[in-house]
């Protein structure tokens, strides 16, 4: 009995013919799936940051802190006016003019301190880079595989075209 079952197991099974409906499920799925996309190619560039110019850092720090300060003054002004319109008593009843004035003073101090701190950090950053030798970065950009992935022009939209004369 064992010898007979071994012979039956060792005989090759007939392969299903295409179109007879006896194909395995995984074969159907394999045929339906599109071919895998080619692996993207990358262009890499290595950069070394060796200095940050303190003057540029100071200008950017001044602009950023001034923008944040302006947003703070506008927000405090709007909240003060809304409290007055709604008839709510503020926690500290100084009046909205005094509240906005104090906010402006705090914003001026914030702008000066932030600008000075940003410039100081730029000097410290340059000193650390002199000691260490710089910061290396690798930038990567994907290169399209072929012309079929990069359209020549945007698809035309019928709504944007002029009507026929």
């Amino acid at each position: 009995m064992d010898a007979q079952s071994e012979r039956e197991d060792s005989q090759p099974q007939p392969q299903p013919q295409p179109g007879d409906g006896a194909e395995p499920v995984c074969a159907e799925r394999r045929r339906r799936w599109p071919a895998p996309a080619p692996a993207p190619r990358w262009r890499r560039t290595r950069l070394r940051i060796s200095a940050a110019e303190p003057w540029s850092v100071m200008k950017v720090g001044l602009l950023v802190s001034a923008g944040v300060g302006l947003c703070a003054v506008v927000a405090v002004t709007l909240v003060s006016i809304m409290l007055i319109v709604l008839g709510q008593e503020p926690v500290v009843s100084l009046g909205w003019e005094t509240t906005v004035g104090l906010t402006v003073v705090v914003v001026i101090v914030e702008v000066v301190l932030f600008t000075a701190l940003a410039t100081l950090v730029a000097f410290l950053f340059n000193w650390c880079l002199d000691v260490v030798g710089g910061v290396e970065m690798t930038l990567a950009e994907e290169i399209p595989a072929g012309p079929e992935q990069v359209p020549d022009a945007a698809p035309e939209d019928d709504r944007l075209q002029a009507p026929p004369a």
Side-chain angles (χ1 to χ4, degrees):
M1 180 166 161
D2 289 333
Q4 181 67 21
S5 62
E6 286 178 16
R7 277 190 226 134
E8 289 177 359
D9 290 340
S10 64
Q11 292 182 359
Q13 298 292 327
Q15 296 295 325
Q17 298 298 323
D20 66 355
E23 298 178 33
V25 175
C26 59
E28 288 181 12
R29 287 185 184 160
R30 230 180 286 132
R31 280 189 291 150
R32 285 191 215 156
W33 288 358
R41 296 178 7 220
W42 294 89
R43 178 177 22 207
R44 296 174 191 261
T45 303
R46 295 185 76 188
L47 300 175
R48 180 182 297 252
I49 299 174
S50 58
E53 188 176 344
W55 181 251
S56 297
V57 171
M58 185 185 81
K59 290 190 292 187
V60 170
L62 177 68
L63 290 175
V64 168
S65 61
V68 169
L70 181 65
C71 290
V73 169
V74 169
V76 167
T77 304
L78 290 176
V79 168
S80 297
I81 291 173
M82 287 182 63
L83 287 175
I84 291 170
V85 168
L86 294 174
Q88 297 292 322
E89 187 67 31
V91 176
V92 180
S93 54
L94 297 173
W96 75 275
E97 297 92 359
T98 309
T99 306
V100 172
L102 286 174
T103 305
V104 169
V105 169
V106 169
V107 163
I108 290 172
V109 171
E110 178 259 336
V111 166
V112 170
L113 288 177
F114 186 83
T115 304
L117 184 63
T119 308
L120 178 65
V121 166
F123 279 113
L124 290 174
F125 181 73
N126 286 338
W127 179 72
C128 289
L129 289 181
D130 287 341
V131 172
V132 175
V135 177
E136 283 192 16
M137 295 174 38
T138 301
L139 300 177
E141 176 185 17
E142 185 176 353
I143 300 173
E148 64 276 352
Q149 292 183 355
V150 180
D152 293 334
E156 294 183 2
D157 191 356
D158 294 332
R159 295 176 292 166
L160 300 177
Q161 293 178 355

